[in-house]
Amino acid sequence: MTEVSSADLDFSEALERVGEHDPNAAAAKAKEQLDSLDSVTLNIAVTGETGTGKSAFINAFRGLNDDDDNSAPTGVTETTKQATMYTHPTKPNVRLWDLPGTGMPNFKANKFLKEVKFETYDLFIIVSSERFKENDVFLAKEIQKKQKNFYFVRTKIDNDVWSVAKTKNFDEQQVLGTIRENCHRNLKELGKPKVFLISSYDLGKYDFQDLVDTLESELSEHKRFALVQSVPVCSLAMLEKKKAVMEQFIWLAALGSSLGAIIPFPLLSLAIDKTVLTTYLISCHNVLGLNEESLIKLSEKMNKPLSQLKSAIKTPLALAVIDKLAIRPRTAMTKPVKSLDDVLDARFLVTSFVNASEAFKTTCTVLRGALNDMINDMRQVLQTAGLNE
Ligand SMILES: Nc1nc2c(ncn2[C@@H]2O[C@H](COP(=O)(O)OP(=O)(O)O)[C@@H](O)[C@H]2O)c(=O)[nH]1
Ligand SMILES: [Mg+2]
């Protein structure tokens, strides 16, 4: 499966892409491919000395706060020599591994990598909160020998910035530039590797987006998709990235939802398997951070009432998805919301004539519109929360 935007894809191209000429077989294949996207695993190892912020970084990456249930304990001295796995709360196929600290004086990178079973991981993130040390360099070289990728992350940047923020002539870019230079000096044996400056308590700032872009560009297509789906929506820029990735699969969801509509149906919506569309839209809802858990985290992080964030969600489509997922019983107080089925039907009704190709095209348009609605709502949520970049 190659990367493509659904925008210009017609039905016959979609059939070709899944390698089936029969529309029913193509729909089945498309559904299979959608499922397989959720089963690809991404294993990210996070390593570095004790106290450098490995656990806090893992929590932030999973969209959790340090004191949440299931979060990696922070501020504790590591006693275990084992790697601990933390799965992503909504994308369990994405796993972050908290590796034991690398700070001991007689550190042997090769032995360390064997002990933590290096072959398990797709990539390594080497964390430091001050300067990178000899052990970090040894480790990077050994990872390279084993033909895996590593990325240097310099954490606690918020502390560095904060400590000089009150000084005269404070220039944030200059502070960041100096930190970067120092890191490069410590890592010069490795050439000039990229170093990402990060605050785990404010992923929307500094280099987190750049880190995600870089990982994305170096992963295989399916793993890249898992990565972008799982990262928290910490900025408007990250939201745009997520939009782009979800758009790539509209054609697949549209194809998967087609019921081989080769005879005219009185209503186009009858020719569509709405369960496939619903699954895709729920997945968008989670990926974009419109789900309850993500909104709660955002409200805690930005210190904004949850109700205020929720009130920024206004489109009937986003509200219908939320309503569909709500577990609470409806009460008299609940505002009546159109069901997702009704909202989708209303959008399909626009077209009255049908063949498989038209059905596909219309479904793509409906999904694109639905995704746009959710994106616009989430943009409002982020702005309400005070994230404007
Ligand atoms: N200000 C700030 N503190 C951090 C950051 N990352 C970690 N910390 C703090 O540094 C301490 C050690 O972090 P922890 O994640 O437990 O480090 P680990 O031993 O490498 O897992 C904890 O008190 C964290 O709250 C960060 O990006 N910014
Ligand atoms: Mg830890």
Side-chain angles (χ1 to χ4, degrees):
M1 192 169 34
T2 44
E3 216 177 286
V4 70
S5 149
S6 65
D8 311 309
L9 202 64
D10 69 24
F11 188 55
S12 57
E13 285 167 325
L15 294 183
E16 210 165 290
R17 243 166 236 278
V18 294
E20 292 286 350
H21 290 292
D22 171 57
N24 285 318
K29 195 83 173 275
K31 276 197 264 193
E32 234 172 69
Q33 292 195 1
L34 282 171
D35 287 344
S36 77
L37 286 173
D38 282 331
S39 56
V40 60
T41 54
L42 176 63
N43 287 290
I44 300 178
V46 181
T47 179
E49 286 190 12
T50 300
T52 52
K54 298 186 292 295
S55 303
F57 178 77
I58 287 173
N59 293 336
F61 203 101
R62 296 162 71 223
L64 300 179
N65 297 326
D66 289 342
D67 53 2
D68 287 339
D69 298 344
N70 308 324
S71 67
T74 52
V76 294
T77 313
E78 291 139 2
T79 47
T80 165
K81 283 194 137 192
Q82 307 249 310
T84 312
M85 180 181 86
Y86 294 94
T87 55
H88 189 273
T90 54
K91 287 268 144 213
N93 51 324
V94 175
R95 303 155 182 169
L96 286 116
W97 295 79
D98 204 340
L99 300 196
T102 53
M104 42 292 204
N106 54 350
F107 177 77
K108 296 272 181 297
N110 192 14
K111 186 160 165 257
F112 175 85
L113 286 176
K114 267 197 193 117
E115 275 171 5
V116 298
K117 302 195 171 58
F118 73 91
E119 64 283 358
T120 313
Y121 315 108
D122 295 297
L123 59 102
F124 290 78
I125 291 182
I126 304 177
V127 169
S128 172
S129 56
E130 293 169 4
R131 76 191 90 79
F132 286 94
K133 309 265 174 68
E134 220 180 11
N135 286 354
D136 298 317
V137 175
F138 291 153
L139 190 59
K141 283 185 173 167
E142 203 58 37
I143 294 170
Q144 206 160 30
K145 266 196 223 160
K146 300 197 182 318
Q147 289 169 3
K148 300 256 180 184
N149 286 347
F150 59 84
Y151 303 87
F152 288 109
V153 162
R154 165 63 160 82
T155 54
K156 309 192 192 177
I157 293 301
D158 52 321
N159 277 348
D160 297 84
V161 170
W162 185 81
S163 67
V164 289
K166 292 225 165 61
T167 56
K168 241 177 47 188
N169 305 329
F170 164 70
D171 175 350
E172 185 172 289
Q173 285 313 315
Q174 201 179 348
V175 175
L176 300 180
T178 308
I179 298 173
R180 231 181 274 281
E181 265 170 40
N182 288 339
C183 290
H184 284 145
R185 198 168 311 130
N186 299 134
L187 297 171
K188 64 175 182 300
E189 265 190 72
L190 297 163
K192 204 176 173 189
K194 219 165 166 177
V195 176
F196 300 92
L197 311 187
I198 280 169
S199 161
S200 294
Y201 299 138
D202 198 350
L203 291 185
K205 273 203 177 145
Y206 317 117
D207 292 344
F208 184 67
Q209 180 94 23
D210 191 11
L211 174 66
V212 174
D213 290 346
T214 306
L215 298 184
E216 194 192 358
S217 69
E218 292 174 8
L219 283 168
S220 67
E221 193 204 346
H222 280 44
K223 290 190 188 270
R224 189 188 314 160
F225 182 61
L227 170 84
V228 178
Q229 279 197 315
S230 70
V231 287
V233 186
C234 50
S235 62
L236 287 171
M238 195 63 87
L239 185 64
E240 292 307 318
K241 184 174 249 327
K242 294 198 165 218
K243 179 185 181 202
V245 105
M246 293 315 285
E247 269 174 350
Q248 277 170 27
F249 296 97
I250 284 179
W251 71 274
L252 203 54
L255 188 60
S257 74
S258 85
L259 292 174
I262 24 184
I263 48 157
F265 279 88
L267 295 177
L268 181 52
S269 68
L270 296 181
I272 306 295
D273 179 355
K274 274 183 280 173
T275 55
V276 177
L277 302 188
T278 304
T279 307
Y280 173 79
L281 293 175
I282 290 174
S283 157
C284 291
H285 167 89
N286 289 329
V287 166
L288 302 179
L290 282 160
N291 55 326
E292 180 87 8
E293 301 75 27
S294 300
L295 293 177
I296 292 173
K297 298 287 161 256
L298 186 65
S299 103
E300 288 169 357
K301 192 176 137 226
M302 301 305 291
N303 232 334
K304 286 273 157 61
L306 180 61
S307 57
Q308 201 179 334
L309 299 188
K310 283 186 174 173
S311 66
I313 304 173
K314 293 210 165 75
T315 59
L317 187 119
L319 292 171
V321 174
I322 291 170
D323 189 61
K324 177 139 193 110
L325 293 171
I327 352 162
R328 60 182 155 68
R330 278 162 182 270
T331 66
M333 296 297 288
T334 319
K335 256 200 281 171
V337 166
K338 267 195 172 178
S339 79
L340 185 54
D341 260 15
D342 288 348
V343 174
L344 287 174
D345 279 353
R347 295 184 180 201
F348 277 108
L349 279 175
V350 188
T351 313
S352 56
F353 71 97
V354 177
N355 57 43
S357 163
E358 281 301 316
F360 173 79
K361 202 165 144 197
T362 307
T363 311
C364 286
T365 308
V366 167
L367 287 180
R368 213 171 304 127
L371 179 59
N372 273 335
D373 280 1
M374 287 197 244
I375 295 279
N376 287 336
D377 275 346
M378 191 58 197
R379 225 176 258 140
Q380 293 303 320
V381 169
L382 291 178
Q383 275 162 359
T384 308
L387 290 170
N388 297 311
E389 283 171 44

